[in-house]
């Protein structure tokens, strides 16, 4: 049970070096980047890979075509569309195919029996999937999940698999896995039921297992992992629990903030005091410097910040491929692949945004998903408009210097700027802007958190509050030296606390985040001075008064 910054990788490497000579071991990482980092530090002969790569290798042994074909991201949508056309042609549309393919994905990740229509329907409700077909036709669609998964299994004969197949098929069907004496799983709190089942196949075939994770950092419930992942591992394996509660990354003050969500966390002996400051989002361009990590709960503010930093001459990039792909796909849809963008491109995007919002309101008028969809489409259009304005400004500057003559921005220029600003590649030094989710596993000397006054807001479900508390814990534990709370405007956090002083929140999440903000303000006022310890007489008076 390894808290943030507790030296997980160092521990894993230490374990690998103490394995018996000749032992065959694999270390399973959450993603390829982590696997590559582990691989560079592990002793020779110890494998480091991902769970997906492990499963794909098993499939390739029995179906060699798997090794030569890239993963098919649209496999189940294509199969779903064909099946709907054959069995329910009146619903053979893209929305119904997307819905059916997503149900198949969730049924695999959660290891739900696909022929159990009630269980599949419960999955749709839990993950907030809105059915595009009338309620009367929903049983017809649910009944297609099992045959669709069977069709997907048959496609394996031609080497066609998607990313979920890579784990699901070897976890649930008798495909030959490599045998290991020892298997270590990193980020175990993010294991879905499906991923755990694949690892348990290694255990069943003789491997001794070490799982390393932190329930406080379980933030991928939307992908099939939840706060119970480690608990589930303990139940399946009767494992011994070993705590790693000392953080060697976070300074003392940052640990004090994070303890609002993880009271077991401790600073390392001799840890630095650490710095906590407040600033405003508008001052980001003046204070940000290369190496900084800027965090936001959502993507929208990051694009605006990246453009502002670029305009100020500060290299910056937004982490996350979905931001770039969303902007480029939306641009293609709005401008229909035009080689040159009209001078009124920004106005066209704004009109398109209004029309898209109106369509969503008409289509999802009774759906609980409407607010989230409206926010997503507004953010995407806003990001596109920001990049277009920046492209137009650059074109104007180049015209003034005589580098170009035409006033119209080409699509190629727009795309190049979008990739420059939003490309997640980390080859260039600069400021890294990231959502909190994407920043898990990262660290920086200085971290800047955007709009702290808007965080820690109660959700409708208690489980969602617990997941959000984990997100906030991750946000507070990325810095090694300095933490900066960047408010939307000066005094925004204090305004929140004054509101809550008049009408105290009953929700524990809001109260805990209020506590973080109050403590951070005290730390900011202290500057580099440590908090003064109370005298013995003052402490005795408080004890006698019961305070």
């Amino acid at each position: 049970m390894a808290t943030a910054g507790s030296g997980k990788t160092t521990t894993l490497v230490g374990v690998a070096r103490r394995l018996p000579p000749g032992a065959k071991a694999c270390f399973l990482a959450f993603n390829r980047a982590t696997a590559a980092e582990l691989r560079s530090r592990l002793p020779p002969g110890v494998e480091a890979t991902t769970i997906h790569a492990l499963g794909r290798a098993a499939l390739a042994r029995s179906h060699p075509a798997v090794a030569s074909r890239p993963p098919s991201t649209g496999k189940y949508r294509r199969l779903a569309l064909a099946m709907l056309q054959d069995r329910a042609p009146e619903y053979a549309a893209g929305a119904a195919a997307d819905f059916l393919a997503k149900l198949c994905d969730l049924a695999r990740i959660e290891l739900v029996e696909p022929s159990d229509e009630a269980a599949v329907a419960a999955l749709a409700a839990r993950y907030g999937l809105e059915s595009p077909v009338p309620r009367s036709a929903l049983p017809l669609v649910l009944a297609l999940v099992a045959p669709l998964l069977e069709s997907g299994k048959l496609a394996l004969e031609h080497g066609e698999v998607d990313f979920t197949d890579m784990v699901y098929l070897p976890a649930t069907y008798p495909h030959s896995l490599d045998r290991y004496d020892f298997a270590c799983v990193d980020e175990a709190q993010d294991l879905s039921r499906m991923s755990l089942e694949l690892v348990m196949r290694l255990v069943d075939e003789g491997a001794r297992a070490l799982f390393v994770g932190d329930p406080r950092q379980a933030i991928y419930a939307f992908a099939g992992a939840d706060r119970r992942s480690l608990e589930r591992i303990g139940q399946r394996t009767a494992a011994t629990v070993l705590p790693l509660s000392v953080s060697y990354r976070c300074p003392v003050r940052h640990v004090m903030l994070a303890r609002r969500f993880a009271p077991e966390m401790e600073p390392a002996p001799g840890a630095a005091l650490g710095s906590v400051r407040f600033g405003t989002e508008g001052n980001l361009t003046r204070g940000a410097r290369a190496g900084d990590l800027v965090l936001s709960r959502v993507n929208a503010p990051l694009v605006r910040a990246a453009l502002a930093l670029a305009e100020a001459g500060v290299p910056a990039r937004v982490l996350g491929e979905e931001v770039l792909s969303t902007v480029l796909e939306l641009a293609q849809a709005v401008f229909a692949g035009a080689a040159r963008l009209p001078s009124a491109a920004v106005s066209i995007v704004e009109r398109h945004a209004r029309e898209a919002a109106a369509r969503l309101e008409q289509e999802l008028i009774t759906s609980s998903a409407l607010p989230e969809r409206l926010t997503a489409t507004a953010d995407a259009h806003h990001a596109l408009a920001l990049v277009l304005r920046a492209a137009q400004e650059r074109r104007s500057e180049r015209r003034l210097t005589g580098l170009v003559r035409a006033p119209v921005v080409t699509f190629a220029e727009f795309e190049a700027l979008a990739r420059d600003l939003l490309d997640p590649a980390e080859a260039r030094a600069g400021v890294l802007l990231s959502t909190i989710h994407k920043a898990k596993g990262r660290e920086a000397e200085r971290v800047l958190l955007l709009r702290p006054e808007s965080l820690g807001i109660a959700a409708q479900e208690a489980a969602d509050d617990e997941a959000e508390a984990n997100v906030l814990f991750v946000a507070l534990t990325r810095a090694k030296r300095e933490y900066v709370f960047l408010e939307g405007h000066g005094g925004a956090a204090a305004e929140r606390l004054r509101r809550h002083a008049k009408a105290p929140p009953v929700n524990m999440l809001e109260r805990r985040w209020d506590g973080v903000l109050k403590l951070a303000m005290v730390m900011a006022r202290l500057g580099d001075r440590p908090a003064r310890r109370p005298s013995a007489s003052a402490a005795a008076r408080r004890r006698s008064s019961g305070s």
Side-chain angles (χ1 to χ4, degrees):
M1 305 287 271
T3 194
S6 59
K8 285 190 309 172
T9 303
T10 301
T11 301
L12 297 178
V13 172
V15 167
R17 289 175 178 166
R18 286 163 175 78
L19 292 175
K24 186 176 181 181
C26 72
F27 281 58
L28 300 174
F30 189 65
N31 54 46
R32 285 179 294 178
T34 306
E37 180 192 355
L38 270 173
R39 201 174 296 122
S40 68
R41 297 177 60 179
L42 289 172
V46 178
E47 299 176 28
T49 186
T50 65
I51 290 178
H52 281 80
L54 177 77
R56 188 182 188 189
L59 295 177
R61 270 189 289 276
S62 55
H63 299 83
V66 170
S68 59
R69 290 190 62 169
S72 174
T73 55
K75 170 183 173 179
Y76 282 87
R77 187 186 188 280
R78 175 179 56 77
L79 293 174
L81 194 56
M83 190 165 287
L84 285 166
Q85 288 170 344
D86 181 50
R87 305 192 186 188
E90 65 272 33
Y91 302 117
D98 289 337
F99 176 68
L100 184 51
K102 183 61 177 176
L103 284 177
C104 286
D105 201 42
L106 293 175
R108 287 178 291 164
I109 290 171
E110 294 276 8
L111 292 185
V112 166
E113 171 53 51
S115 61
D116 186 343
E117 295 175 19
V120 175
L123 270 184
R126 190 192 320 161
Y127 283 90
L129 292 185
E130 295 288 337
S131 171
V133 303
R135 181 174 297 181
S136 59
L138 184 57
L140 177 63
V141 175
L142 296 176
L144 296 179
V145 172
L148 183 56
L149 284 180
E150 188 62 28
S151 178
K153 180 186 172 185
L154 293 175
L156 181 61
E157 297 295 333
H158 309 291
E160 186 182 11
V161 295
D162 70 355
F163 284 101
T164 307
D165 277 341
M166 292 180 191
V167 182
Y168 177 73
L169 293 174
T172 55
Y173 295 97
H175 294 281
S176 175
L177 288 171
D178 277 335
R179 295 180 67 89
Y180 294 95
D181 302 304
F182 191 88
C184 178
V185 184
D186 192 16
E187 301 288 3
Q189 77 278 351
D190 294 325
L191 287 182
S192 65
R193 285 178 170 84
M194 175 185 72
S195 297
L196 176 58
E197 197 63 34
L198 182 59
V199 176
M200 289 306 299
R201 279 203 59 195
L202 297 179
V203 174
D204 292 341
E205 294 181 11
R208 187 177 184 185
L210 171 65
F211 297 87
V212 183
D214 181 7
R216 309 288 187 186
Q217 298 185 69
I219 60 175
Y220 291 112
F222 58 85
D226 57 42
R227 71 188 191 283
R228 293 182 298 277
S229 291
L230 286 174
E231 178 185 331
R232 195 177 298 124
I233 291 169
Q235 292 170 348
R236 287 287 301 272
T237 63
T240 302
V241 177
L242 304 171
L244 290 178
S245 54
V246 176
S247 177
Y248 296 91
R249 173 197 301 151
C250 301
V252 174
R253 284 179 172 170
H254 302 181
V255 170
M256 292 172 66
L257 295 176
R259 279 169 63 91
R260 291 283 177 171
F261 300 101
E264 71 281 357
M265 189 180 189
E266 303 172 28
L273 185 63
S275 172
V276 176
R277 294 195 301 107
F278 277 78
T280 61
E281 188 177 356
N283 291 329
L284 174 63
T285 55
R286 291 199 292 273
R289 51 184 179 267
D292 284 351
L293 174 61
V294 179
L295 298 180
S296 171
R297 183 65 184 82
V298 294
N299 271 317
L302 299 176
V303 178
R304 185 185 302 106
L307 290 167
L309 288 167
E311 187 177 356
V314 180
R317 61 190 186 278
V318 178
L319 184 68
E321 296 177 1
E322 74 279 357
V323 182
L324 175 62
S325 61
T326 297
V327 167
L328 293 179
E329 288 171 9
L330 182 58
Q332 288 285 357
V334 173
F335 300 110
R340 293 182 176 274
L341 303 180
S343 56
V346 173
S347 297
I348 292 172
V349 170
E350 291 170 347
R351 184 172 67 248
H352 192 275
R354 292 191 295 270
E355 293 170 351
R359 283 195 302 273
L360 283 175
E361 289 172 350
Q362 187 174 10
E363 294 170 4
L364 304 175
I365 188 63
T366 61
S367 171
S368 60
L370 178 59
E372 183 179 351
R373 293 284 298 277
L374 285 174
T375 299
T377 191
D379 288 348
H381 282 86
H382 183 63
L384 174 56
L386 286 172
V387 178
L388 283 170
R389 284 195 181 95
Q392 290 173 339
E393 289 169 4
R394 288 195 178 186
R395 163 67 66 153
S396 297
E397 292 170 1
R398 295 180 72 196
R399 285 188 69 203
L400 289 174
T401 57
L403 293 175
V404 297
R405 293 184 180 181
V408 179
V409 175
T410 66
F411 193 89
E413 288 174 330
F414 156 78
E415 184 175 1
L417 177 59
R419 291 188 182 280
D420 187 49
L421 292 171
L422 307 177
D423 189 346
E426 297 188 44
R428 329 189 286 279
V431 176
L432 179 63
L433 301 105
S434 172
T435 63
I436 299 170
H437 277 87
K438 289 287 184 183
K440 189 164 80 73
R442 294 177 178 273
E443 60 183 29
E445 290 292 322
R446 185 166 73 148
V447 170
L448 304 95
L449 179 64
L450 295 178
R451 305 179 189 180
E453 71 277 5
S454 65
L455 301 180
I457 304 301
Q460 293 181 346
E461 302 288 340
D464 293 336
D465 276 355
E466 292 184 26
E468 189 64 20
N470 288 351
V471 172
L472 298 175
F473 173 75
V474 169
L476 291 171
T477 53
R478 300 304 97 196
K480 298 165 65 176
R481 180 178 55 83
E482 183 177 1
Y483 208 96
V484 185
F485 291 86
L486 287 181
E487 302 167 296
H489 62 272
E495 291 171 8
R496 168 187 168 133
L497 295 178
R498 283 195 294 271
R499 286 195 307 272
H500 287 180
K502 294 177 182 178
V506 296
N507 179 272
M508 183 59 71
L509 176 67
E510 294 192 31
R511 287 159 56 188
R512 288 158 84 184
W513 188 247
D514 283 355
V516 168
L517 295 177
K518 288 177 185 176
L519 185 55
M521 288 177 178
V522 171
M523 293 175 177
R525 285 196 296 270
L526 287 171
D528 294 331
R529 294 178 289 123
R532 188 173 62 185
R533 294 189 175 185
S535 66
S537 59
R541 284 197 301 274
R542 278 205 293 272
R543 285 195 298 271
S544 63
S545 65
S547 62

